[in-house]
Amino acid sequence: MKKNIFYAIVFIFSIGTAYSQSMSEVELTEEWKDKIYELAPDKASFPFKTKKKVLVFSLHTGFWHWVNPHTEAMFKILGEKSGAFEVVGSRDLAMMEKNKLKEFDLVIFNNTNSKPTYRNLFVDKLTEEGNMDSVAVWKKASELEKNVINYVKKGGGFL
């Protein structure tokens, strides 16, 4: 009896998961951006003295979802309308170097996942570039990861 209940629960959740992926793509148009601009608050809901600089890092190597460019556009609109922050969008791994990260108050990783082989975005991209052997790829990927960790340890924001 308990086994049947367990299987029923698994079955119900699997149906929900299957249907949760059925949303059709929404094109990123000026009309969509205008709608988001209209819905965005006119001012920040938090106090700030200086405009912050935000990096929206949208590199992906595994599953790409159509909402990724929408997310970047939304953050740009929120920053512009509120006046609280400026957004820079990038897919360039060089943005994860120490000297580049320190330019930003916040880094937003706007990516769904990496390839299933290693589940490491940096390794995936460095391997795709093809100009390093595997030892150098992993060494550089580890360095970039440490750069992000140290950036957060020193007070940088991460989302």
Side-chain angles (χ1 to χ4, degrees), residues 26-95:
V26 175
E27 190 177 344
L28 179 61
T29 62
E30 288 306 313
E31 181 182 10
W32 184 90
K33 291 178 188 178
D34 291 344
K35 179 70 172 175
I36 298 303
Y37 191 87
E38 182 184 306
L39 294 170
D42 291 325
K43 61 180 183 172
S45 60
F46 54 89
F48 68 96
K49 292 181 182 173
T50 59
K51 187 182 245 188
K52 303 296 181 190
K53 193 166 180 186
V54 175
L55 170 63
V56 177
F57 188 67
S58 299
L59 177 67
H60 68 279
T61 59
F63 178 76
W64 180 85
H65 199 287
W66 61 264
V67 300
N68 288 18
H70 294 69
T71 303
E72 186 174 317
M74 179 200 61
F75 278 111
K76 286 181 177 180
I77 290 166
L78 288 171
E80 176 189 323
K81 192 168 179 187
S82 70
F85 54 95
E86 167 194 354
V87 173
V88 173
S90 180
R91 292 167 182 76
D92 186 358
L93 271 186
M95 299 304 274

Side-chain angles (χ1 to χ4, degrees), residues 112-131:
T112 51
N113 63 25
S114 52
K115 292 179 182 175
T117 310
Y118 302 113
R119 291 286 182 217
N120 188 311
L121 180 73
F122 300 146
V123 168
D124 292 347
K125 187 60 179 172
L126 292 166
T127 301
E128 282 177 13
E129 292 174 359
N131 56 357

Side-chain angles (χ1 to χ4, degrees), residues 3-20:
K3 230 182 203 183
N4 289 341
I5 293 172
F6 171 76
Y7 288 127
I9 291 170
V10 169
F11 177 73
I12 290 168
F13 278 112
S14 65
I15 289 173
T17 302
Y19 283 106
S20 68

